[in-house]
Amino acid sequence: MWSRARRGCGGWRVLQARRMISSRPPPVSVSSAVNSMLLRSLRDHYLEVSKMTPPPKVSPPSPFSIIKGALDSEGPVLKRSYGNEEISIYVMRLANIIPGGDDEDDNINQLFLHVQVSKPGQKDSLHFLCGLYPDALGIHSVSMRPKLQSSGFLVLPSQYNGPVFQDLNERMRDALHSYIEERGVNESLFPFLQAWLYVKDHRNLMHWFQRVGTFINEQKPSKDASSSM
């Protein structure tokens, strides 16, 4: 019985040793090789993307102007004044909000606009969520919401968000379309916003390659350096 117990104990030790071996991290040389392979791939893709030809430069339709720093933020892209109102336009691809669809051209040619109409002295503003296409603009919803700061894209309403736009009668829907069209929000914005999003997507991709490469390439601090801190 005692011998069986010793044999059982030895088997347990062998099993534990196997588990320890299988749980050990890969040799440093293997890890370095994987990192080098990944860094080479990142560099190759970075160089490939950097050679892509940007679209022709397009200016926004007058009197809209580009907001400084818009490429590096998620805030508004364009703004203009209309009487005592300020019109701010945010944009992103509709495909980024509603994924899916097999036609890549359709996904590229569908933009999602967030139009804010604000007035001085009022904490709330009028918000239009719209779909923008090369030849048309459609309103999805209209609501009153708190004014947005330049750092944000959408703010969830904290109060009644208004009726479903399609439930409004045709006369009111047409009047709301006329309201934003009078302020210059129409399909004439599409060429500029399409080109602007291309540049932003390109910059984001380049920055992604750089950030991932920097993270992978960062050296682990030595024990001496960490103990001296």
Side-chain angles (χ1 to χ4, degrees):
M1 178 177 177
W2 175 249
S3 62
R4 287 200 302 270
R6 292 184 62 185
R7 286 197 299 269
C9 183
W12 178 81
R13 288 175 179 172
V14 170
L15 179 60
Q16 285 293 99
R18 288 177 178 174
R19 288 177 177 174
M20 290 176 64
I21 292 173
S22 62
S23 63
R24 288 175 183 171
V28 175
S29 58
V30 174
S31 179
S32 298
V34 171
N35 287 356
S36 297
M37 180 177 66
L38 178 55
L39 287 170
R40 283 196 302 270
S41 179
L42 287 167
R43 183 180 65 250
D44 292 344
H45 282 81
Y46 178 89
L47 293 174
E48 182 180 351
V49 172
S50 67
K51 296 176 183 176
M52 295 173 64
T53 304
K57 188 174 181 180
V58 181
S59 298
S62 178
F64 283 99
S65 60
I66 305 171
I67 295 178
K68 184 178 180 180
L71 280 172
D72 298 314
S73 75
E74 298 302 323
V77 178
L78 297 174
K79 66 177 180 179
R80 65 158 295 186
S81 296
Y82 184 84
N84 69 333
E85 301 173 353
E86 182 175 277
I87 317 299
S88 302
I89 294 182
Y90 303 67
V91 63
M92 65 189 306
R93 297 196 189 283
L94 196 60
N96 293 342
I97 304 173
I98 308 175
D102 299 327
D103 194 327
E104 184 176 351
D105 291 337
D106 283 348
N107 290 336
I108 292 175
N109 290 330
Q110 296 179 13
L111 306 183
F112 181 76
L113 291 191
H114 178 195
V115 183
Q116 174 181 264
V117 181
S118 59
K119 294 182 179 182
Q122 296 194 22
K123 63 179 182 179
D124 289 335
S125 55
L126 188 59
H127 288 235
F128 292 81
L129 301 184
C130 308
L132 179 64
Y133 308 89
D135 57 354
L137 178 138
I139 298 175
H140 294 304
S141 69
V142 182
S143 61
M144 294 296 299
R145 300 188 183 185
K147 288 182 181 178
L148 292 183
Q149 302 301 318
S150 59
S151 59
F153 185 72
L154 291 177
V155 172
L156 293 176
S158 58
Q159 54 189 4
Y160 177 61
N161 198 30
V164 176
F165 185 76
Q166 293 303 320
D167 289 346
L168 298 173
N169 63 48
E170 184 177 359
R171 183 178 178 182
M172 180 170 286
R173 293 200 305 267
D174 290 344
L176 287 168
H177 273 102
S178 298
Y179 180 88
I180 59 172
E181 288 174 0
E182 186 179 354
R183 286 154 178 77
V185 183
N186 53 46
E187 62 272 14
S188 67
L189 294 170
F190 185 89
F192 167 79
L193 292 175
Q194 174 76 307
W196 185 89
L197 277 175
Y198 178 93
V199 174
K200 184 177 178 67
D201 291 344
H202 184 267
R203 282 166 59 99
N204 285 342
L205 185 57
M206 297 281 285
H207 290 164
W208 183 85
F209 286 132
Q210 291 176 327
R211 291 172 62 193
V212 173
T214 299
F215 178 86
I216 298 298
N217 199 37
E218 185 177 1
Q219 298 297 322
K220 183 178 181 181
S222 63
K223 292 183 179 179
D224 294 338
S226 59
S227 61
S228 62
M229 293 179 64

